[in-house]
Amino acid sequence: VSEQVVLALKAGKAEMGVFVEGSNTEGLDVQVFRADELVLIFPKGHHLTGKKPIAFSETLDEQWISLNPGAAMLNQQMSAASAIGKRINLRMQVNSFDAVTQMVASGLGVALLPKVFALSVLKANHLNWRPLQDKWAQRKLLVGIRKDAEAEVIALRDFLTQP
């Protein structure tokens, strides 16, 4: 969970962490690590099947599987729903992308996952995916270190953030 990664860095429990943009990073040295896109996943044959991007607002009648409280992805979903005066119907919250995938594959609901992860598990789990139209689904992953980081940590961070 992104907030926990940032807190671990600030508390000196971690030397480097990767997290989703949006947490309070005051006191940390932060750089962009990668771009990240959230996509909708659902079982094959689901009524949301389609190729074109779908608006998140069109999915709010669905049962949702999501990560546990504090996850940046869940916070984004809740904020997007709230912005249009609605709520997401959370059926289940779990602690990993693998667990989300298994719950969706079991037909318990739909979910958002990072596209890179989703594409790697779709076929084996008989799932389909669809991009979202919403700008908030395009995210940045950041890599952070403490400002007093040792040279080796800085070198690793610099290596990871090279184009």
Side-chain angles (χ1 to χ4, degrees):
V1 175
S2 291
E3 290 177 15
Q4 292 174 353
V5 172
V6 171
L7 290 174
L9 285 167
K10 288 181 177 184
K13 294 179 180 178
E15 294 188 47
M16 179 182 301
V18 176
F19 50 91
V20 177
E21 166 181 58
S23 297
N24 177 355
T25 59
E26 185 178 332
L28 299 176
D29 183 357
V30 177
Q31 292 185 12
V32 174
F33 177 56
R34 299 279 186 271
D36 183 40
E37 177 185 359
L38 296 178
V39 298
L40 181 69
I41 65 164
F42 43 85
K44 286 190 176 185
H46 193 277
H47 72 92
L48 291 176
T49 299
K51 299 278 186 205
K52 293 181 181 178
I54 188 170
F56 178 69
S57 61
E58 293 178 48
T59 69
L60 290 174
D61 290 334
E62 300 298 320
Q63 297 272 326
W64 281 88
I65 310 297
S66 189
L67 294 175
N68 286 325
M73 192 164 36
L74 176 60
N75 292 342
Q76 288 174 301
Q77 287 176 270
M78 292 171 71
S79 293
S82 179
I84 58 172
K86 294 193 175 187
R87 298 175 67 174
I88 61 172
N89 185 7
L90 279 176
R91 182 170 194 181
M92 187 175 299
Q93 292 179 270
V94 296
N95 62 2
S96 70
F97 292 156
D98 287 325
V100 168
T101 302
Q102 293 304 313
M103 297 302 109
V104 173
S106 296
L108 295 175
V110 301
L112 293 182
L113 285 176
K115 183 178 180 180
V116 171
F117 179 85
L119 293 180
S120 72
V121 299
L122 291 173
K123 188 173 183 180
N125 291 284
H126 307 289
L127 298 172
N128 279 336
W129 71 282
R130 199 163 171 190
L132 290 180
Q133 292 175 352
D134 307 78
K135 285 187 177 191
W136 59 265
Q138 304 296 322
R139 311 182 312 168
K140 289 181 187 169
L141 295 178
L142 306 176
V143 61
I145 60 175
R146 294 190 321 272
K147 291 193 176 193
D148 63 349
E150 296 181 12
E152 294 87 353
V153 175
I154 295 169
L156 177 58
R157 186 272 323 268
D158 292 347
F159 173 76
L160 292 173
T161 58
Q162 288 178 11

